[in-house]
Amino acid sequence: MLEFEPYQARHLQRAKQYLALRPVENCEGQLPCGYMWGIYYKSQIAFDDIAVYLIEEYHGTTCAWIPRCRLENMKEAVLRLLSYYETVKKEPMNIFGVDEEAANELDEDFREQHGLLLEELQDAADYIYDAEKMRSLSGKKLHKKKNHLNAFLKNYEGRYEYRRLFPEQREEILSFFEYWNQLKPREDEEHTLYYEMEGLKRILSDFALLDVKMGGIYIDGRLSAFALGSYNEALQIAYVHMEKAIADIRGLYPMINREFLVQEYPEAKLVNREDDMGMEHLRRAKQSYYPLKMGRKFRLYQK
């Protein structure tokens, strides 16, 4: 029987080994994403001989993420998770973050045999872009973004620079986050900003174990935009897990978007900028960069 315990830094190295068994496109399949939000979701982790398992609390229920293992072990890992739900949690199994490859492996016959249903989650789809277009902002569709970027370059000529950031700059980074939060309009997701800050602190504390990079745009010597990302070498995908900029400064968002990729991930073929969480303002912002494709995700659950 699976034995779960709170997800801590000491689990990261072992978890990384399991994640490498089957690289996936979706953001939740990357080590920094799950670890960053571990405090908010009260994440717990378990290992066995074939997989790593992650469960979280969400609205009074226990939700799991798709087990990370070799594809040929996927059905067995799901059955072990199903046994845990039935024996320990005594509630219906609910698995999120199921990518297309895993969904195909967990075929209709398997689902029917074990009383499982598969549902596509439109609001959870990741926005995946052509990395070169994001670095160059070339083409008619991105013309407005390029204009905003050129306006920034003109208005702040000689006053800005890109710098790679490190955990030693913790206080400066957190101070910027707090300043950005003060300027941000109050919105429905406001309650999650506290946990986003706590997640950022967690990333900074365990930076060396997570293979992440950070960068910022400084204007007149002050940090004014910030980005945090990771890279999946097997798939040549860069992941932007966090991006913040002072919205009143025209062109600053396109600037940090471009420079972070140019400076930190010049080899990336694709860029995953995560999902929009069903929030209209995020959807508009992400669609304005014209994704190459959407990374589909599914939920697997008991009838």
Side-chain angles (χ1 to χ4, degrees):
M1 183 58 60
L2 297 175
E3 295 183 3
F4 285 89
E5 58 183 325
Y7 189 11
Q8 303 293 337
R10 59 189 176 86
H11 300 119
L12 287 171
Q13 195 59 46
R14 191 177 180 190
K16 189 185 303 183
Q17 295 171 1
Y18 280 91
L19 266 58
L21 295 176
R22 189 177 73 89
V24 297
E25 278 190 345
N26 66 32
C27 62
E28 291 89 355
Q30 315 314 308
L31 194 66
C33 186
Y35 191 65
M36 177 178 175
W37 289 100
I39 297 173
Y40 179 62
Y41 290 111
K42 300 178 182 177
S43 300
Q44 295 190 64
I45 196 167
F47 300 89
D48 65 15
D49 59 321
I50 62 170
V52 58
Y53 308 81
L54 199 66
I55 60 173
E56 300 174 338
E57 292 183 16
Y58 186 69
H59 293 309
T61 64
T62 301
C63 300
W65 291 102
I66 189 71
R68 295 301 301 278
C69 58
R70 299 186 191 279
L71 190 62
E72 58 265 30
N73 292 326
M74 181 62 67
K75 290 179 180 177
E76 175 59 27
V78 167
L79 290 179
R80 293 181 185 186
L81 195 54
L82 180 60
S83 176
Y84 171 80
Y85 266 86
E86 291 176 342
T87 305
V88 178
K89 301 305 294 184
K90 301 186 186 304
E91 61 182 80
M93 184 178 71
N94 204 1
I95 300 179
F96 287 87
V98 181
D99 58 283
E100 284 192 79
E101 185 180 53
N104 290 334
E105 178 67 13
L106 302 167
D107 54 62
E108 188 175 351
D109 288 344
F110 174 82
R111 299 196 302 270
E112 184 64 29
Q113 181 182 355
H114 298 286
L116 302 175
L117 296 174
L118 188 70
E119 172 193 16
E120 183 167 4
L121 302 176
Q122 299 289 347
D123 288 344
D126 286 346
Y127 289 75
I128 300 175
Y129 305 83
D130 181 296
E132 188 51 42
K133 285 190 176 293
M134 296 294 277
R135 286 188 288 260
S136 65
L137 295 179
S138 60
K140 185 177 181 179
K141 289 182 177 180
L142 295 174
H143 184 66
K144 288 184 179 180
K145 299 294 184 184
K146 192 67 172 286
N147 283 344
H148 288 309
L149 176 65
N150 288 337
F152 174 86
L153 296 174
K154 179 180 178 181
N155 293 335
Y156 294 92
E157 183 178 3
R159 297 172 56 191
Y160 74 88
E161 64 175 321
Y162 175 88
R163 298 181 197 171
R164 182 175 292 180
L165 298 171
F166 300 93
E168 290 76 13
Q169 293 155 279
R170 176 188 181 95
E171 294 307 317
E172 182 181 23
I173 293 168
L174 295 178
S175 293
F176 165 74
F177 190 100
E178 290 177 349
Y179 178 64
W180 173 86
N181 188 23
Q182 290 170 6
L183 297 178
K184 187 177 183 296
R186 303 298 93 177
E187 293 173 343
D188 292 342
E189 78 275 18
E190 181 63 26
H191 70 284
T192 67
L193 290 175
Y194 166 80
Y195 290 100
E196 190 175 24
M197 170 76 95
E198 293 304 301
L200 178 56
K201 291 177 182 177
R202 201 177 202 203
I203 293 284
L204 292 169
S205 295
D206 302 309
F207 191 83
L209 299 171
L210 290 164
D211 298 325
V212 292
K213 291 184 177 181
M214 300 183 295
I217 301 295
Y218 284 75
I219 299 176
D220 298 331
R222 180 175 182 175
L223 181 61
S224 301
F226 169 82
L228 181 149
S230 63
Y231 186 66
N232 190 316
E233 185 174 0
L235 300 177
Q236 294 183 290
I237 301 179
Y239 295 82
V240 180
H241 301 297
M242 184 180 289
E243 185 180 82
K244 311 290 184 188
I246 305 305
D248 290 344
I249 300 178
R250 183 187 176 190
L252 185 53
Y253 264 110
M255 183 64 179
I256 184 62
N257 185 326
R258 185 191 74 166
E259 284 301 294
F260 187 58
L261 294 174
V262 168
Q263 300 294 336
E264 308 301 343
Y265 302 112
E267 72 278 31
K269 301 297 184 185
L270 298 171
V271 182
N272 184 322
R273 294 178 58 80
E274 303 195 349
D275 58 73
D276 58 36
M277 299 183 290
M279 297 177 183
E280 185 58 34
H281 69 288
L282 281 179
R283 181 177 291 116
R284 290 195 303 268
K286 292 177 187 289
Q287 288 178 344
S288 70
Y289 280 95
Y290 296 94
L292 180 67
K293 62 178 180 177
M294 301 299 293
R296 299 169 70 194
K297 299 177 198 170
F298 302 83
R299 177 172 74 107
L300 182 72
Y301 62 101
Q302 279 183 285
K303 294 181 181 179

